[in-house]
Amino acid sequence: MAARMIRLAALAIALAAPAAAQEATQAPGGVVRVLDKITGIVTDLDLAAGESGTVGHLSIVLDECRYPADNPSGDAYERLEVRYRSVETPVFQGWMIASAPALNAMDHPRYDVWALRCKTS
């Protein structure tokens, strides 16, 4: 729990930078990578905003994807909700940053999920 609080504090500090450095544009979708740590299979999900995708026992919803307004190929910020099987409580819900996947990582024994990039068209 303490590690999660430290990651959330670091995320808050990163997002509190000057407004000029934080102008972001909302993308129509994004790409999420999923690693099954048991099989070693890596799957990329190309999702539109609001769309869900399934990999193995995971269901992933991309709420939104943002990127720097002055750099469309720059860092992606994706808001995700990840559920395992039919469990009602998400195993992850929040923002993931493509350039810092460990900052707010999903903690799951079988799967790793991380943001790759936003789709700009």
Side-chain angles (χ1 to χ4, degrees), residues 1-107:
M1 188 65 154
R4 182 169 173 84
M5 294 303 292
I6 290 169
R7 284 184 277 182
L8 290 175
L11 179 62
I13 290 168
L15 295 176
Q22 292 299 311
E23 279 193 47
T25 300
Q26 192 164 336
V31 180
V32 177
R33 180 163 284 168
V34 179
L35 167 66
D36 183 326
K37 293 185 263 187
I38 293 175
T39 65
I41 296 173
V42 175
T43 305
D44 290 350
L45 292 176
D46 191 344
L47 301 171
E51 185 179 17
S52 68
T54 303
V55 175
H57 298 292
L58 287 186
S59 175
I60 302 166
V61 177
L62 174 68
D63 288 331
E64 64 180 290
C65 190
R66 298 181 186 177
Y67 61 91
D70 59 346
N71 184 7
S73 62
D75 204 10
Y77 299 83
E78 296 182 354
R79 179 158 171 69
L80 302 172
E81 181 176 288
V82 183
R83 295 185 186 273
Y84 182 70
R85 296 189 180 193
S86 59
V87 177
E88 192 143 332
T89 304
V91 293
F92 179 86
Q93 187 172 18
W95 289 95
M96 286 190 182
I97 303 171
S99 66
L103 187 61
N104 195 22
M106 182 182 88
D107 185 25

